[in-house]
Amino acid sequence: MDNKIEYQLYSKSVSDLLLIYQMIEDSLKLYIEYSCKLVKIHLPKNLPFNFTGKEYENAALGALIKAFSKFSYNDALIEELKNLQTKRNFIAHRALVDFMENGESKDDMSELKGTAWLTFTKVQAELSILDKRIRNA
């Protein structure tokens, strides 16, 4: 296959994968925001709590995972997110350059997409549980 076509296909795969990673980040931001709302609901009114989650609006994935870990007991998902972070950083900052330098990908993009999508669905499940807790508070 033509190297230009291979690069275009790889570039599309990288973009698709980055979209899933962005969806994970956005879901973590929402989880943090919802968690802050739930804390505020349960705290006595005379105890100030001025965190809204908006503090993480422009946070990197590592900071989002760290904040998420403060609000979640799902240690398996936290570990999964931490493991995903290294690959996400490579894909976001280095994958296309490496492909241009080597003419090939070292990663199975379909496997990475599958893993990222599964992680996204797990974060969404946690978000759904949290949403129900807020509605019942």
Side-chain angles (χ1 to χ4, degrees), residues 1-56:
M1 187 183 305
D2 183 305
N3 202 20
K4 183 177 179 183
I5 293 171
E6 285 182 42
Y7 179 78
Q8 288 172 340
L9 291 172
Y10 184 70
S11 178
K12 171 79 169 88
S13 291
V14 167
S15 295
D16 292 347
L17 184 53
L18 286 174
L19 176 61
I20 299 170
Y21 290 144
Q22 186 61 51
M23 291 166 50
I24 291 169
E25 289 180 16
D26 289 344
S27 297
L28 290 173
K29 290 174 187 177
L30 197 54
Y31 188 95
I32 293 163
E33 184 180 333
Y34 282 13
S35 294
C36 289
K37 287 180 182 181
L38 187 60
V39 169
K40 192 161 186 95
I41 288 169
H42 288 287
L43 281 178
K45 299 300 178 210
N46 63 346
L47 185 61
F49 185 80
N50 296 315
F51 294 102
T52 65
K54 296 293 183 190
E55 301 84 358
Y56 291 92

Side-chain angles (χ1 to χ4, degrees), residues 98-115:
D98 274 12
F99 187 88
M100 288 174 63
E101 290 175 351
N102 301 321
E104 64 183 15
S105 171
K106 297 174 187 161
D107 297 304
D108 179 352
M109 296 303 280
S110 61
E111 182 181 329
L112 291 176
K113 283 182 197 176
T115 300

Side-chain angles (χ1 to χ4, degrees), residues 68 74 76-77 80 117-127:
F68 174 77
N74 191 335
L77 180 55
E80 193 172 321
W117 186 258
L118 183 58
T119 303
F120 169 71
T121 61
K122 291 175 183 178
V123 173
Q124 285 295 299
E126 287 293 301
L127 193 52

